[in-house]
């Protein structure tokens, strides 16, 4: 006997409640996990969620991590609303980083204010092009973007590996797979002595406002949303399905590409194999946790950044493996998807005998 | 009525199967049911009649436990019951066939049925029972077919068989025929008559008065949430039934002559299309011309290329530039939005999901096609303008709803149809294509919509109507053509043809030059 039945109309309350339920369940199961590992859950959660924010540097790190997550998720959400599932933002981030990093390497030694802006533009173009490839494949050959975007991520990451092992390897880098360290003109300068937070966070902030206006006010976003909600209505209205694909994938590639530049011109400072701790994938969770809404995504991005920080702190203070961050992210997504079922469905009341 | 031996543990003779007294349901904006009394006997087919918004569906949902009444009693086989939810209704022996089916396309018939059952099941045994029940009631169904390959009529069969498996004593059908072809309707009626003969009571909602006259033993008429009368349909005329429903004489369409110049506005020539859908119909050499000031009707049964022709006209499928022309301008290669820019308006037969986005408000749905009426400026939405547009549409076309903020899916079919037709008309088109203008629309609203189309044409708009209802076409059209098996016959002035000639053409007999023998319906 099925336990669920469809609701007459999707529940708006459940849509907002669902992320909170997911967070609660993640914390609950996380406690069990800590217990099983022989750690005191209260202590573990203090390490995870409180300690990282008890210093100025902690807040700075939160911004450093939240910036790329929010920026990427804003772009992804546009496509997700239109049911275009770009899950290759990680690859677009890498290509953006390669494009921006390439500019930095080519202009090494040039001391001009426009080096950094040029890198950002190059990164945006690189990411957008990497998003355009699956758009082309989908509109031309009807190739599923979920597969192609993911496959292109591997190509991007092998390309990065080739570049830092080959043409762009730092000649003085003792054969490590990394480029030269970028010069100051190619770096976002930190705002505070000894902290890493920099102007890249402003890009995420401006993008959030822009996406908020775009999604709530623009006719183009309206068309994308209609395409996601009722494809036949979009065709009837004459909204181009091809344009939906292009806009979704190019826009999300573009934001991911800029995020890539933010990493190589920020905390990382060069091209190497560790430019992203999976921001492109985590941003998918951020987008859904934020209900594909520009404001929600900002909050979700901050939470996800805290998970990254907490995971690092837990490795140090509790000697937990690095996988702990991925585990928490995974649980969050799992519970979110589970709770989201109840937006459209509800528990079926158990049939009782009609008369006693 | 004869009383056949009831095979079910029925009530003592004389006790109604279902008796409602004083059922009342208030919604914030409206009293949907106001002290309703209704009685249905065993084996009785009872019609519930009323305009859109009269409260019929609400009443049925109360009986089925999907909505709770604020006041009133339900007596079931002489006992007072509280139907708390649909599962309990099914337990009592009440089944309901909904107008919109909630079937999973990727599952087979029997899997879909199994999912909806309240008891544990064995798929193999169930498949056998499905086969048994479906043959017994003349509803042939292959339990292993995947639902996505079924026609609308077959999908409805799945729903009915699902209800029958639970051996209901009362079957509720809410507008079951508004999506069926005439043949499918005849099959459905045979089944319902057989069920009634076995003692099953049936509550039947339809706007098609002739159906009710041929099928139903008795009728309850509702207006504005109240019962306004009961009737024996066979002793009434469609006009007298309509009068009870709308509370006044049914207006007769006025068809004045067109005084303007009848230049061609919409021209189709040599349109041939192979459908993407393997179950679709191939269009062959379609030729037609609609002039300003006239209504051209296309008769025929759905599935003969209607959907394909509509999509080709609207721009949802594109073809060669010259195959479709708007006032001489080739538009065959343009998408629906671009054609609309050149003055084409289109009302599709599916209102929810195509003509309107179900979860969006009417104001947002105004923007769907009416963007060029100032609802979008420099790429940005103008919510206030959209709100005003929707409000004007609601007022002018008497759309009964909760206002411009109401979600499209909250409207009844007829009211949503009025909104969509209104939205298209308010864009002042040159040519307008309308599919099934009055499907699921009550008689009063249907008359209003028909008159609206006639008036619009007399203002110089070229209108093409595709409808399955011949009477409707004869009422409003100036010329009529028949679409059968993907070929369009010549458009003949209405005075020069009649239902019989059109019926002949529908079975594939066109000009004598066409030597193909008539195909017997498979
Ligand atoms: N869930 C609801 N919330 C608010 N109003 C409703 C709801 N369902 C129906 N109504 C209103 O109740 C009235 C009766 O609707 P309905 O029973 O669907 O009529 P019918 O089936 O006769 O067309 C309408 O005015 C409709 O707008
Ligand atoms: Mg109804």
């Amino acid at each position: 006997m099925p336990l669920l039945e469809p609701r007459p109309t999707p529940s708006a309350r459940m849509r907002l409640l669902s992320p909170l339920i997911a967070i609660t369940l993640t914390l609950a199961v996380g406690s069990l996990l800590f217990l099983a590992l022989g750690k005191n859950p209260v202590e573990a959660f203090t390490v995870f969620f409180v300690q990282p924010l008890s210093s100025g540097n902690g807040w700075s790190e939160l911004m450093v991590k939240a910036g790329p997550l929010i920026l990427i998720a804003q772009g992804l959400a546009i496509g997700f609303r239109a049911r275009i599932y770009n899950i290759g933002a990680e690859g677009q981030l890498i290509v953006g980083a390669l494009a921006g990093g390439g500019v930095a390497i080519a202009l090494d030694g040039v001391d001009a204010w426009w080096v950094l802006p040029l890198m950002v533009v190059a990164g945006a173009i690189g990411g957008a092009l990497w998003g355009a490839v699956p758009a082309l494949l989908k509109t031309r050959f009807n190739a599923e973007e979920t597969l192609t975007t993911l496959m292109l991520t591997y190509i991007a990451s092998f390309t990065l590996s080739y570049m830092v092992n080959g043409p762009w390897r730092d000649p003085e880098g003792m054969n490590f797979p990394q480029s030269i360290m970028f010069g100051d003109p190619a770096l976002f300068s930190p705002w505070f002595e000894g902290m890493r937070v920099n102007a890249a966070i402003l890009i995420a902030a401006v993008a959030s406002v822009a996406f908020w206006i775009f999604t709530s006010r623009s006719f183009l976003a309206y068309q994308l949303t209609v395409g996601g909600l009722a494809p036949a209505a979009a065709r009837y209205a004459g909204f181009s399905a091809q344009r939906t694909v292009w806009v979704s994938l190019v826009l999300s590639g573009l934001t991911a590409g800029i995020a890539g530049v933010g990493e190589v011109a920020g905390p990382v400072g060069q091209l190497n194999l560790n430019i992203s701790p999976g921001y492109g994938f985590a941003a998918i969770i951020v987008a859904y946790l934020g209900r594909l809404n520009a404001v929600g995504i900002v909050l979700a991005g901050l939470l996800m950044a805290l998970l990254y920080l907490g995971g690092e702190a837990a490795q140090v203070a509790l000697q937990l493996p690095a996988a702990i961050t991925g585990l928490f992210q995974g649980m969050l997504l799992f519970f979110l998807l589970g709770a989201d079922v109840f937006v459209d469905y509800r528990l079926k009341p158990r049939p009782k005998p009609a008369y006693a | 009525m004869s009383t056949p031996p009831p095979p079910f543990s029925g009530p003592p003779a004389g006790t109604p199967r279902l008796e409602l007294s004083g059922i009342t349901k208030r919604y914030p904006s409206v009293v949907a049911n106001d002290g309703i009394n209704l009685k249905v006997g065993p084996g009785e087919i009872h019609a519930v009649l009323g305009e859109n918004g009269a409260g019929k569906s609400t009443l049925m949902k109360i009986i089925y436990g999907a909505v709770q009444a604020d006041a009133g009693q339900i007596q079931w086989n002489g006992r007072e019951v509280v139907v708390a939810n649909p599962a309990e209704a099914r337990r009592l022996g009440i089944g309901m066939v909904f107008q919109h089916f909630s079937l999973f396309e990727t599952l087979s018939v029997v899997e879909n049925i199994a999912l909806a059952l309240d008891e544990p099941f064995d798929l193999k045994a169930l498949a056998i029972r499905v086969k048994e029940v479906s043959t017994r009631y003349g509803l042939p169904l292959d339990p292993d077919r995947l639902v996505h390959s079924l026609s609308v009529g077959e999908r409805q069969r799945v729903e009915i068989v699902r209800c029958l498996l639970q051996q209901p004593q009362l079957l509720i059908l809410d507008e079951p025929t508004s999506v069926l072809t005439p043949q499918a309707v005849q099959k459905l009626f045979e089944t319902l008559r057989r069920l009634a003969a076995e003692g099953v009571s049936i509550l039947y909602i339809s706007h098609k008065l002739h159906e009710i006259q041929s099928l139903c033993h008795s009728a309850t008429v509702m207006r504005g949430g109240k019962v306004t009368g009961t009737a024996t349909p066979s002793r009434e005329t469609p006009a007298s039934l309509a009068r009870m429903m709308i509370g006044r004489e049914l207006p007769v369409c006025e068809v004045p002559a067109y005084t303007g110049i009848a230049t061609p506005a919409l021209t189709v020539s040599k349109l041939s299309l192979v459908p993407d859908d393997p179950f679709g119909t191939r269009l062959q050499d379609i030729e037609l011309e609609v002039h300003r000031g006239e209504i051209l009707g296309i008769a025929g049964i759905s599935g003969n290329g209607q959907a394909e022709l509509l999509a080709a006209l609207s721009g949802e499928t594109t073809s060669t530039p010259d195959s479709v022309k708007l006032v001489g301008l080739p538009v065959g290669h343009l998408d629906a939005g671009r054609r609309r820019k050149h003055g084409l308006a289109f009302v599709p037969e599916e209102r929810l999901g195509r003509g309107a986005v179900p979860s969006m408000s009417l104001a947002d749905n105004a923007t769907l096609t009416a963007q060029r009426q100032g609802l979008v400026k420099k790429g940005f939405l103008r919510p206030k303008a959209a709100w005003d547009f929707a409000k004007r549409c609601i007022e002018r076309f008497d759309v009964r709803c909760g206002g411009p903020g109401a979600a499209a899916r909250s409207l009844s079919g007829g009211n949503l149809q009025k909104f969509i037709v209104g939205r298209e008309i308010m864009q002042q088109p040159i040519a307008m294509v309308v599919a099934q203008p009055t499907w699921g629309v009550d008689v009063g609203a249907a008359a209003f919509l028909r008159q609206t189309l006639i008036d619009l044409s007399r203002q110089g708009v070229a209108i093409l109507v595709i409808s399955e209802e011949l009477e409707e076409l004869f009422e409003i059209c100036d010329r009529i053509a028949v679409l059968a098996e993907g070929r369009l016959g010549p458009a003949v002035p209405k005075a020069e043809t009649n239902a019989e000639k059109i019926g002949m053409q529908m079975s594939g007999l066109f000009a004598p030059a066409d030597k193909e023998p008539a195909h017997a319906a498979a």
Side-chain angles (χ1 to χ4, degrees):
Chain A
M1 182 180 21
L3 293 167
L4 298 176
E5 63 182 11
R7 290 179 192 270
T9 53
S11 157
R13 182 166 12 135
M14 195 59 210
R15 206 184 311 248
L16 292 179
L17 228 50
S18 162
L20 302 180
I21 294 173
I23 292 169
T24 313
L25 285 174
T26 304
L27 294 182
V29 176
S31 314
L32 295 178
L33 196 80
F34 288 133
L35 277 178
L37 291 168
K39 313 282 175 196
N40 175 353
V42 177
E43 190 189 332
F45 280 122
T46 314
V47 169
F48 228 87
F49 294 112
V50 182
Q51 249 176 36
L53 297 183
S54 51
S55 69
N57 190 50
W59 285 94
S60 153
E61 285 300 297
L62 187 75
M63 293 300 147
V64 167
K65 297 227 157 25
L69 286 170
I70 292 171
L71 184 57
I72 301 170
Q74 297 288 12
L76 288 178
I78 299 293
F80 291 168
R81 281 161 164 254
R83 303 208 183 181
I84 301 295
Y85 298 107
N86 175 8
I87 57 170
E90 185 76 5
Q92 292 137 20
L93 178 153
I94 291 171
V95 173
L98 274 170
V103 170
I105 293 166
L107 297 180
D108 188 38
V110 176
D111 186 6
W113 63 267
W114 45 263
V115 173
L116 190 56
L118 190 65
M119 288 169 67
V120 172
V121 171
I125 293 173
L129 285 177
W130 212 243
V133 177
L136 183 73
L137 294 176
K138 186 170 176 91
T139 50
R140 267 298 163 82
F141 307 110
N142 207 12
E144 202 51 55
E145 76 282 1
T146 37
L147 293 176
T148 52
T149 51
L150 191 62
M151 286 151 81
L152 281 162
T153 298
Y154 290 105
I155 297 178
S157 102
F158 285 124
T159 308
L160 172 67
S161 171
Y162 168 75
M163 293 309 282
V164 295
N165 277 300
W168 287 349
R169 184 167 62 187
D170 182 0
E172 281 141 45
M174 325 239 274
N175 272 343
F176 278 112
Q178 58 188 36
S179 75
I180 54 168
M181 291 301 295
F182 298 165
D184 278 344
L187 291 174
F188 288 103
S189 47
W191 283 341
F192 305 103
E193 187 63 37
M195 296 187 195
R196 303 201 295 175
V197 64
N198 61 48
I201 186 77
L202 289 183
I203 299 181
V206 171
S208 293
V209 175
F211 274 99
W212 179 66
I213 294 171
F214 177 69
T215 50
S216 60
R217 288 281 170 208
S218 82
F219 184 46
L220 182 56
Y222 169 89
Q223 297 182 38
L224 298 184
T225 307
V226 170
L229 289 173
R235 211 172 313 120
Y236 160 70
F239 302 159
S240 157
Q242 304 226 340
R243 186 172 53 194
T244 300
V245 173
W246 282 99
V247 170
S248 301
L249 289 169
V250 168
L251 205 58
S252 49
L254 183 140
T255 56
I258 295 176
V261 174
E263 291 309 291
V264 295
V268 183
Q270 63 178 170
L271 285 173
N272 64 32
L273 295 179
N274 305 314
I275 52 180
S276 159
Y279 286 144
F281 296 117
I284 299 171
I285 308 176
V286 171
Y288 278 106
L289 199 61
R291 309 285 77 181
L292 307 183
N293 170 295
V295 180
I297 285 171
V298 171
L299 298 176
L302 290 170
L303 176 72
M304 188 61 76
L306 186 57
L307 276 183
Y308 271 109
L309 293 186
E312 285 171 10
Q315 288 174 49
V316 178
L318 305 169
Q319 285 88 49
L320 289 174
I324 194 84
T325 304
L327 204 68
F328 268 85
Q329 286 178 3
M331 282 198 287
L332 197 55
L333 181 61
F334 177 81
F335 288 127
L336 183 71
L337 293 178
D340 270 353
V341 168
F342 292 91
V343 173
D344 290 311
Y345 293 85
R346 62 184 173 206
L347 280 179
K348 203 166 161 178
R350 200 177 282 170
K352 276 171 265 134
Y355 358 86
Chain B
M1 212 136 312
S2 64
T3 38
F8 306 107
S9 54
T15 311
R17 172 126 310 143
L18 176 78
E19 182 169 1
L20 306 179
S21 31
I23 295 287
T24 298
K25 175 73 192 176
R26 286 179 205 94
Y27 283 119
S29 53
V30 66
V31 183
N33 286 168
D34 190 353
I36 303 284
N37 299 327
L38 186 148
K39 229 185 260 186
V40 189
E44 177 182 335
I45 306 182
H46 190 105
V48 180
L49 285 171
E51 291 180 277
N52 294 125
K56 307 176 299 289
S57 294
T58 303
L59 188 66
M60 296 306 118
K61 286 180 197 155
I62 288 172
I63 299 171
Y64 191 58
V67 166
Q68 297 305 311
D70 298 326
Q73 276 106 45
I74 304 179
Q75 302 253 354
W76 177 248
N77 289 329
R79 261 197 265 201
E80 185 170 338
V81 290
V82 176
V83 189
N85 55 52
E88 201 164 312
R90 289 192 289 267
R91 215 156 242 273
L92 285 168
I94 302 174
M96 179 155 175
V97 178
F98 287 94
Q99 186 179 356
H100 303 285
F101 320 126
S102 45
L103 297 173
F104 295 98
E105 304 241 319
T106 50
L107 298 183
S108 71
V109 168
V110 62
E111 285 165 334
N112 263 290
I113 290 177
L115 277 176
L117 287 185
D118 293 318
E119 323 102 56
F121 50 81
D122 165 36
L123 220 49
K124 272 217 190 86
L126 188 64
I128 296 171
R129 269 182 68 205
V130 166
K131 224 172 168 118
E132 258 171 34
V133 170
S134 64
T135 31
R136 177 149 152 244
Y137 291 103
L139 299 163
L141 258 189
D142 176 356
D144 299 320
R145 277 269 298 277
L146 292 180
V147 163
H148 70 74
S149 71
L150 300 183
S151 69
V152 182
E154 288 168 319
R155 286 175 198 219
Q156 188 184 52
R157 267 182 225 164
V158 179
E159 290 274 314
I160 296 176
V161 167
R162 179 176 64 74
C163 289
L164 294 185
L165 279 174
Q166 298 178 321
Q167 309 195 324
Q169 298 176 40
L170 171 69
L171 193 60
I172 303 172
L173 296 110
D174 193 347
E175 296 189 35
T177 60
S178 51
V179 291
L180 296 188
T181 61
Q183 291 93 329
V185 170
Q186 282 317 315
K187 273 235 142 4
L188 174 69
F189 282 9
E190 283 166 30
T191 305
L192 295 182
R193 291 198 183 100
R194 180 156 350 164
L195 282 167
E198 289 179 9
V200 179
S201 309
I202 292 169
L203 272 169
Y204 188 86
I205 298 182
S206 172
H207 292 302
K208 300 182 183 165
L209 299 176
H210 58 274
E211 283 185 358
I212 285 177
Q213 289 193 292
S214 81
L215 180 73
C216 300
H217 305 133
S218 50
T220 296
V221 185
M222 291 175 67
R223 191 188 329 141
K226 293 198 172 97
V227 171
T228 53
T230 52
T232 305
S234 56
R235 290 201 211 116
E236 302 283 335
T237 63
S240 67
L241 286 172
R243 195 165 47 231
M244 290 176 75
M245 279 167 65
I246 63 177
R248 61 194 144 82
E249 284 302 324
L250 192 61
V252 180
C253 278
E254 284 175 40
V255 189
Y258 176 55
T259 51
I261 306 161
T263 50
L266 177 67
T267 315
V268 177
S269 51
K270 297 201 201 72
L271 174 72
S272 296
L273 273 182
V274 178
D276 293 333
D277 175 3
F279 298 100
T281 305
R282 202 170 130 200
L283 294 179
Q284 298 180 56
D285 281 323
I286 304 284
E287 304 268 343
L288 66 84
E289 189 156 69
V290 196
H291 300 95
R292 285 176 172 274
E294 76 163 343
I295 301 182
L296 174 68
I298 295 189
I301 296 156
S302 291
N304 276 280
Q306 276 76 0
E308 290 79 6
L309 178 59
L310 283 167
L313 290 174
S314 70
E316 288 158 288
T317 51
T318 50
S319 50
T320 55
D322 286 324
S323 59
V324 183
K325 286 189 185 148
L326 257 178
V327 208
L329 185 78
V331 297
H333 57 303
L334 300 181
D335 68 26
R338 296 207 177 88
R339 289 188 200 186
R340 195 170 281 114
K341 199 156 87 191
H342 291 299
L344 180 74
F346 175 50
V347 179
E349 74 263 44
E350 298 102 347
R351 292 141 201 176
L352 273 181
R354 187 164 166 204
V357 182
S359 57
M360 283 186 168
S361 68
L362 294 181
D364 282 345
N365 269 302
T367 309
L368 191 64
T369 65
Q371 323 114 25
R372 287 176 204 88
Q373 310 300 311
L375 310 194
V376 171
K377 202 172 167 187
K378 294 194 175 127
F380 282 90
L381 301 173
R382 297 178 66 207
K384 170 119 190 0
W387 186 275
D388 290 343
F389 182 94
K391 194 158 168 240
R392 271 181 287 135
C393 184
I394 289 166
E395 280 161 12
R396 187 168 150 200
F397 294 91
D398 186 29
V399 180
R400 316 243 169 102
C401 64
R409 70 149 76 82
S410 74
L411 270 68
S412 69
N415 280 305
L416 188 56
Q417 177 75 344
K418 286 194 260 180
F419 180 79
I420 293 173
V421 170
R423 179 186 70 192
E424 299 301 300
I425 288 178
M426 281 169 66
Q427 296 172 47
Q428 290 154 340
I430 296 167
M432 183 154 163
V433 176
V434 186
Q436 315 293 356
T438 57
W439 254 3
V441 176
D442 67 62
V443 282
F448 169 78
L449 280 173
R450 288 179 188 140
Q451 189 64 52
T452 305
L453 290 178
I454 293 169
D455 294 346
L456 187 70
S457 75
R458 283 358 179 211
Q459 289 158 23
V461 178
I463 301 182
L464 181 97
V465 173
I466 294 192
S467 173
E468 279 192 346
E469 290 182 42
L470 266 187
E471 284 169 37
E472 171 166 275
L473 292 177
F474 274 103
E475 191 171 354
I476 65 174
C477 294
D478 299 289
R479 292 185 299 148
I480 300 177
V482 174
L483 182 64
E485 291 171 10
R487 291 164 185 270
L488 188 69
V492 183
K494 138 169 101 175
E496 294 168 24
T497 186
N498 55 38
E500 201 179 329
K501 282 187 197 164
I502 286 184
M504 295 262 287
Q505 292 188 346
M506 281 194 199
S507 46
L509 287 169
F510 280 135
D514 195 347
K515 278 196 287 290
E516 241 177 293
H519 296 285

